[in-house]
Amino acid sequence: MTKELLLQHLQELHTHLTDELLPFWTARTMDEIDGGFITHFDQYGSDSGEDEKSLIAQTRSIYTYASAHRAGYGEGALAELARHGVEYLLTHMWDEEHGGFYWMTNRKGEVINDQKIVYGQSFAMYCLSEYTLATGDPRGIKYARNVFDLLQKYATDTTYGGYFEMFERDWTLKGPGSAGGDRKTLDVHMHLMEAYTTLYECTRQPVHRRKLLEIIELLVMKIMHPVYGTGVPQFWANWDVAPQIKFDIIWGWDRFTEDGVKSEAEDNTSYGHNAEFAWLLLHALAILDIPHETYLDQFTKSFSHAVTNGVDWEYGGVYVEGSHAGAVYDREKEFWQQAEVMIGFLDAYRILDDDIYWKAYENVHRFVLDKMVNHGVGEWWPLMTRQGAPIWTHMSHSWKINYHTVRAVIQSIRRLDYLMTTRKDQ
């Protein structure tokens, strides 16, 4: 790794962000008629017409614009986009009677799914805290704190720890099985850590710090594999490992058998999730002012597993998932895993000082810029073959939005800038 190579990567990412990625979103997402954001676009960037506005897509869009503004992009226009999204979120998606945000409205703002899904509530906290940090608007942190309080009241499992995840509108816990009421997941608890980190950064309140520390300990001690340090996807309420199944709400992708059960249902881990968890934990510790060495063993295991088993050194990019012990199950390339390992490998290179992580970052960077970016439109293909041919071709829907891609580029630029200033020329 040389400064010349660092500069090349920096320039490539900056050009992609400012000339392609941000313009893709800013040019087409604002719904000037009904408020909020339009979030469904085909491979050409045209509105594909789905009549929905999901909590996950609206909140992730708010986060994207607020965080990009906070990072210094957009000359104020991104803050206005974030504010536009917050107006819709608070007006149409907040439940005045029971509290919390509805899962989905149609484009006009009429509620079509009133359930309270903790995955969505976590992103509401995340985006609203980020919005207040970015703009100073106190409404964001007011509602973020309200959601935090609701989760402590209704979702906390006081017997085994952690949070239940799937609720009816009035916060009645949903039933078992595909309804999800009897399970807990890595995904939700990781995103709660992410949300609590930004909430605490904004408020500096002791209760938010305590709950962030609590969920970090839960993730490290209960959710990550005790031997390999890799993420286990699903658990029963008592934290026994549960077979990974498809829920009625949230995980709508197609890697399940017809009965809704995952192949290798009790032995699969995502390389992208492991890298994402590790860099989010690093960020949380920085906000908490706790040395990263406190969890050095966890970082070493998470990053080592991803780089050893997940990187495709022949065709580039990172695979979807595999066994905790190392066997690769799914060799396709999905957009969000590439995004998260870019950030993760740069963090691993910084704290572990092993050149393999720079080589892995460079590998994924090249795969993304050369194959995964749909340069004619500006966004990333959602899913590709191992060799880099598109399988899914939409540019956006409720689950493939700007959050992963924009965040990955901004965070990678930040880390490359750091390396430029701290590494001696080679």
Side-chain angles (χ1 to χ4, degrees):
M1 191 271 288
T2 65
K3 284 197 171 181
E4 181 180 7
L5 193 57
L6 273 175
L7 184 59
Q8 175 192 331
H9 285 68
L10 262 171
Q11 291 173 337
E12 287 180 338
L13 289 182
H14 188 268
T15 298
H16 172 50
L17 180 67
T18 57
D19 292 357
E20 296 179 322
L21 198 52
L22 284 174
F24 174 88
W25 296 102
T26 58
R28 50 176 53 83
T29 56
M30 180 186 283
D31 186 340
E32 297 181 1
I33 298 174
D34 296 310
F37 302 113
I38 295 167
T39 57
H40 292 71
F41 302 102
D42 65 19
Q43 70 185 89
Y44 306 107
S46 300
D47 182 356
S48 50
E50 284 85 346
D51 186 20
E52 66 174 53
K53 287 176 178 168
S54 70
L55 178 59
I56 197 67
Q58 299 300 308
T59 54
R60 284 179 166 184
S61 295
I62 293 166
Y63 171 83
T64 296
Y65 298 133
S67 62
H69 170 74
R70 191 177 168 203
Y73 299 95
E75 299 181 339
L78 298 174
E80 290 307 311
L81 271 172
R83 186 172 290 109
H84 174 83
V86 168
E87 295 287 351
Y88 182 88
L89 187 69
L90 302 186
T91 301
H92 295 286
M93 304 195 83
W94 178 258
D95 183 346
E96 292 288 351
E97 181 178 357
H98 296 289
F101 290 97
Y102 300 121
W103 181 247
M104 192 172 291
T105 67
N106 61 19
R107 289 200 181 190
K108 292 182 178 180
E110 300 162 335
V111 178
I112 57 177
N113 187 324
D114 63 8
Q115 295 177 51
K116 305 295 166 57
I117 309 301
V118 174
Y119 192 107
Q121 308 302 320
S122 73
F123 275 96
M125 284 187 290
Y126 189 39
C127 83
L128 290 167
S129 301
E130 184 72 24
Y131 171 70
T132 293
L133 285 166
T135 68
D137 186 338
R139 293 179 301 166
I141 199 60
K142 173 187 174 181
Y143 280 86
R145 295 179 71 156
N146 285 345
V147 172
F148 173 87
D149 292 343
L150 286 163
L151 294 187
Q152 310 319 306
K153 181 178 181 179
Y154 293 116
T156 300
D157 182 351
T158 56
T159 302
Y160 296 108
Y163 296 84
F164 293 107
E165 303 178 8
M166 307 286 197
F167 296 87
E168 306 293 350
R169 179 189 174 189
D170 64 356
W171 293 97
T172 300
L173 187 64
K174 294 181 67 176
S178 63
D182 60 346
R183 291 175 185 249
K184 298 171 183 171
T185 66
L186 160 66
D187 217 355
V188 161
H189 288 79
M190 181 181 71
H191 288 305
L192 284 172
M193 175 181 71
E194 169 184 65
Y196 288 1
T197 299
T198 309
L199 178 68
Y200 174 63
E201 183 182 5
C202 192
T203 69
R204 297 294 172 176
Q205 291 296 304
V207 65
H208 299 147
R209 181 184 180 91
R210 290 199 306 272
K211 287 298 180 179
L212 174 55
L213 289 167
E214 182 182 287
I215 207 161
I216 287 172
E217 193 67 9
L218 179 72
L219 281 156
V220 173
M221 301 306 297
K222 293 284 190 183
I223 295 179
M224 308 310 284
H225 194 285
V227 175
Y228 300 105
T230 45
V232 178
Q234 291 183 18
F235 299 84
W236 302 113
N238 66 356
W239 295 109
D240 286 343
V241 177
Q244 191 178 4
I245 63 170
K246 181 179 178 180
F247 296 133
D248 296 333
I249 291 181
I250 297 185
W251 292 276
W253 38 283
D254 65 351
R255 293 183 176 86
F256 289 86
T257 58
E258 289 185 4
D259 61 1
V261 177
K262 189 80 174 281
S263 300
E264 297 85 25
E266 295 186 42
D267 180 28
N268 62 85
T269 191
S270 161
Y271 308 111
H273 264 157
N274 294 333
E276 183 179 16
F277 163 73
W279 83 257
L280 287 173
L281 176 57
L282 271 170
H283 177 60
L285 295 176
I287 296 300
L288 290 163
D289 198 25
I290 294 174
H292 72 262
E293 289 83 1
T294 308
Y295 292 100
L296 187 60
D297 181 61
Q298 177 62 62
F299 291 126
T300 302
K301 287 179 176 179
S302 292
F303 286 134
S304 177
H305 187 276
V307 80
T308 302
N309 303 294
V311 176
D312 185 345
W313 297 103
E314 182 177 359
Y315 292 104
V318 67
Y319 302 125
V320 170
E321 67 184 20
S323 165
H324 296 285
V328 179
Y329 295 153
D330 188 338
R331 295 179 185 270
E332 293 172 345
K333 312 289 171 61
E334 197 163 11
F335 79 103
W336 69 265
Q337 282 100 340
Q338 317 307 312
E340 297 307 325
V341 300
M342 286 174 68
I343 309 170
F345 287 154
L346 287 174
D347 269 349
Y349 181 57
R350 174 175 60 85
I351 69 167
L352 302 177
D353 197 26
D354 187 334
D355 285 343
I356 190 64
Y357 293 108
W358 171 257
K359 293 174 182 175
Y361 168 77
E362 188 177 11
N363 171 296
V364 178
H365 175 108
R366 285 267 57 85
F367 181 84
V368 167
L369 270 295
D370 295 345
K371 295 183 179 179
M372 186 150 268
V373 175
N374 180 0
H375 287 288
V377 175
E379 242 293 334
W380 301 16
W381 298 108
L383 183 70
M384 311 190 85
T385 65
R386 180 187 179 191
Q387 293 79 8
I391 298 172
W392 297 343
T393 59
H394 55 271
M395 290 293 98
S396 175
H397 60 37
S398 285
W399 288 99
K400 199 275 181 184
I401 193 69
N402 42 31
Y403 152 76
H404 284 290
T405 56
V406 174
R407 185 176 71 169
V409 177
I410 289 174
Q411 294 295 329
S412 295
I413 288 172
R414 182 170 293 161
R415 285 153 177 78
L416 291 169
D417 275 332
Y418 171 82
L419 292 175
M420 283 287 291
T421 61
T422 58
R423 296 283 165 164
K424 295 179 180 178
D425 202 359
Q426 299 178 39

